[in-house]
Amino acid sequence: MKIRTGFGYDVHQLQEGLPFWLGGIQVPHTHGALGHSDADVLIHVICDALLGAANLRDIGFHFPDTDPQYKGIDSKRLLAEVMRLLRERGYSIGNIDSTICLEVPKVNPHIAQMQQVLAEVMQIPVEDISIKATTTEKLGFVGKREGVAAYASVLIVQP
């Protein structure tokens, strides 16, 4: 059995008037993340962690922001494609552990729904997806409410 780990990190600038997609759901807020796709920072770090664990490069390699077909794309579609790539190589997910860094809005009320949506996209049990949230105690770009950051680590298994 081959066991591999992966790590992902991503940031997006927050901008007034944009929809805020996080963990596959739209979170009510005055600001949303700016990006080429829907800028779902949580899905992006999970994709990067999974791709890295399987030694398949990163999300930008597979879905470049220079390609117009990905403009405004729902990041759940990107995650589904990453899962296809992993399964094609015989990998399954052991678990995902992620952290969202954001001052506002509060993420905790939305975590269960995010887990459910992500589990459906990845076709894995909800129990295998950990989502945590923290602030940066008003420090840095996250603390100044200028952006959102996220981290993820994953374990994948190949029998």
Side-chain angles (χ1 to χ4, degrees), residues 14-45:
L14 293 175
Q15 190 172 85
E16 189 172 2
L18 294 177
F20 191 27
W21 289 96
L22 194 58
I25 67 169
Q26 190 170 352
V27 175
H29 191 47
T30 58
H31 291 66
L34 180 64
H36 185 70
S37 66
D38 64 6
D40 189 322
V41 70
L42 181 59
I43 289 182
H44 293 180
V45 297

Side-chain angles (χ1 to χ4, degrees), residues 7-89:
F7 175 77
Y9 169 72
D10 195 20
V11 300
H12 282 279
Q13 181 181 357
L14 293 175
Q15 190 172 85
E16 189 172 2
L18 294 177
F20 191 27
W21 289 96
L22 194 58
I25 67 169
Q26 190 170 352
V27 175
H29 191 47
T30 58
H31 291 66
L34 180 64
H36 185 70
S37 66
D38 64 6
D40 189 322
V41 70
L42 181 59
I43 289 182
H44 293 180
V45 297
I46 291 171
C47 287
D48 262 349
L50 291 167
L51 289 166
N55 196 18
L56 293 173
R57 306 224 13 203
D58 60 32
I59 193 171
F61 176 79
H62 291 275
F63 316 107
D65 63 6
T66 55
D67 189 333
Q69 74 174 314
Y70 301 118
K71 179 71 177 157
I73 195 169
D74 183 338
S75 292
K76 292 186 294 291
R77 291 179 55 198
L78 306 180
L79 181 57
E81 176 62 14
V82 168
M83 291 303 300
R84 186 192 67 74
L85 291 170
L86 288 179
R87 290 191 175 108
E88 190 175 83
R89 286 157 180 80

